[in-house]
Amino acid sequence: MRNSINGENYHYGTPTNPSAADRVPGGSSSGSAVAVGAKLVDFSLGTDTGGSVRVPASYCSIFGFRPSHAAVSTQGVTPMAQSFDTVGWFARNPVILNQVGHVLLQLPHTESIIPKQIIIAEDCFKLSSIPNSRVSQVLVKSAEKLFGGNIVKNMILGDYVEEKVPSLSHFMSKEIKEQDYNIASLAALSSAMRLLQRHEFKNNHGEWVTSVKPHLGPGIHERVWEAVRSTDENIGICHSVKTELRSALTTLLEDYGILAIPTVPGPPPKLKTDPTTLEVFRAKAFSLLSIAGVSGFCQVSIPLGMYDDLPVAISLMAKHGSDGFLLNVVETLYDTLQEQVSVSER
């Protein structure tokens, strides 16, 4: 079992990140991501429950797609937490990403539809250590060039989520409210996601873990036993949060709307970094990753070149069931994104 979103493996070693050899490749589908990033294959499959396709895609400077929840069958996949488990994929370019998506999702080939709106979650981009000029502004300028200036809108996503997802108040602890480095409502969203994940993991694997007591690596060991010892308190509220968030974001994006956020809050961490020094980074990462996780929306991580010799990525999200639309938009947008990356690097 790979170490969560880092991809470091206590038993078998860590795959080498082809974009930054001294950095983690991202987990837990890091092997699949590295194979694509190293140009050994054109595409590969991965599972994404909490971020295990999106994170390695961003760290390895490739495309990663988490489909709408339940859009791709998970038959034959060992469940971790069914409310969040998805089968996603990596690709070297947006054309292959789209082709793989059409096969897995069994989509008919349709003309690309121009997005009605692209919403930039300003507060989410403030969580990132990468300058806006290299991430959100690259998207804004590309969208304006391709689709016209009226399409781009800015918003404070955290305020909207707090207002429209009332069940989140149960997860707004004093500790979360006092985190000046994070967005309170999204940190609460991450807490709800983790609680339901632990509950489902315990139901799936708790008996085996308790009887076999497997030898697990640091980080994984603590989280597995935390799940096994968890109680069923507030599980019903977690399901309410899921329902409310999906409804709120569906209303926000409607048909053919896109939400833009950073995939992760910065470049990939260095190998063998002490876990305690990564706690803030990890908390911010899961705040971002929980948006698609809890809503069940589809999300794509798009590489935007390098900043300070480290990979940069942006994520686009569309409402549940809009996978084909999102894949087409990425293919339409990517050449212009690359042009704007080149301009921003001058």
Side-chain angles (χ1 to χ4, degrees):
M1 186 182 267
R2 299 213 175 274
N3 187 349
S4 183
I5 59 171
N6 283 352
E8 294 175 300
N9 190 296
Y10 178 73
H11 298 285
Y12 301 108
T14 305
T16 302
N17 185 332
S19 294
D22 66 333
R23 304 282 170 146
V24 298
S28 56
S29 298
S30 53
S32 296
V34 165
V36 174
K39 301 183 179 175
L40 302 175
V41 295
D42 292 328
F43 73 92
S44 61
L45 299 179
T47 54
D48 189 314
T49 299
S52 300
V53 164
R54 292 163 289 168
V55 174
S58 68
Y59 287 178
C60 295
S61 206
I62 57 173
F63 292 83
F65 197 89
R66 174 193 165 97
S68 297
H69 189 259
V72 177
S73 171
T74 55
Q75 189 173 357
V77 178
T78 301
M80 179 182 158
Q82 297 90 317
S83 293
F84 307 98
D85 291 345
T86 61
V87 174
W89 60 97
F90 303 96
R92 276 165 48 188
N93 65 55
V95 176
I96 295 171
L97 188 83
N98 202 351
Q99 288 172 333
V100 174
H102 273 74
V103 173
L104 288 176
L105 296 157
Q106 301 178 346
L107 296 172
H109 283 276
T110 55
E111 291 298 309
S112 192
I113 296 168
I114 293 174
K116 286 185 181 172
Q117 57 177 346
I118 295 177
I119 296 171
I120 309 293
E122 285 183 48
D123 50 340
C124 292
F125 283 100
K126 286 177 183 169
L127 293 182
S128 176
S129 61
I130 311 290
N132 274 352
S133 61
R134 276 296 284 107
V135 192
S136 59
Q137 284 309 302
V138 167
L139 174 65
V140 168
K141 287 170 183 172
S142 301
E144 287 174 346
K145 186 174 179 181
L146 271 179
F147 309 126
N150 296 332
I151 198 170
V152 178
K153 298 177 174 64
N154 293 295
M155 78 172 298
I156 306 300
L157 183 66
D159 290 353
Y160 180 81
V161 168
E162 186 168 354
E163 180 191 346
K164 301 292 184 183
V165 188
S167 295
L168 266 186
S169 61
H170 293 274
F171 300 96
M172 285 280 201
S173 65
K174 185 171 180 283
E175 182 191 7
I176 281 174
K177 287 177 182 174
E178 289 174 353
Q179 287 177 359
D180 56 359
Y181 56 82
N182 213 340
I183 299 164
S185 60
L186 299 188
L189 196 65
S190 174
S191 288
M193 181 174 81
R194 284 200 313 277
L195 183 65
L196 185 51
Q197 279 184 349
R198 285 197 295 263
H199 170 72
E200 292 182 347
F201 177 88
K202 176 184 176 181
N203 286 346
N204 291 325
H205 306 293
E207 192 178 319
W208 176 80
V209 170
T210 306
S211 59
V212 173
K213 295 184 175 56
H215 184 43
L216 301 168
I220 291 290
H221 174 89
E222 290 80 2
R223 284 194 287 280
V224 162
W225 281 100
E226 186 182 15
V228 169
R229 292 170 183 141
S230 63
T231 65
D232 296 340
E233 193 179 349
N234 286 342
I235 297 304
I237 299 169
C238 294
H239 288 291
S240 298
V241 168
K242 280 176 63 69
T243 304
E244 290 166 9
L245 183 70
R246 183 179 292 195
S247 174
L249 294 184
T250 301
T251 301
L252 177 68
L253 297 183
E254 301 177 323
D255 290 333
Y256 312 123
I258 281 173
L259 177 66
I261 63 168
T263 306
V264 285
K270 286 190 172 179
L271 288 161
K272 296 183 178 170
T273 301
D274 182 69
T276 54
T277 64
L278 288 176
E279 278 178 12
V280 169
F281 183 90
R282 184 182 162 80
K284 292 197 287 187
F286 278 111
S287 289
L288 296 168
L289 295 163
S290 66
I291 301 166
V294 178
S295 66
F297 280 24
C298 48
Q299 179 177 341
V300 60
S301 182
I302 305 170
L304 293 181
M306 309 287 273
Y307 177 77
D308 280 353
D309 295 325
L310 294 170
V312 177
I314 194 169
S315 269
L316 305 182
M317 237 179 277
K319 77 171 192 177
H320 187 273
S322 299
D323 304 64
F325 158 69
L326 186 58
L327 286 163
N328 283 341
V329 167
V330 176
E331 191 172 334
T332 303
L333 196 57
Y334 189 60
D335 285 347
T336 312
L337 282 173
Q338 284 186 300
E339 287 169 19
Q340 291 302 322
V341 167
S342 297
V343 170
S344 72
E345 287 176 335
R346 285 176 197 155

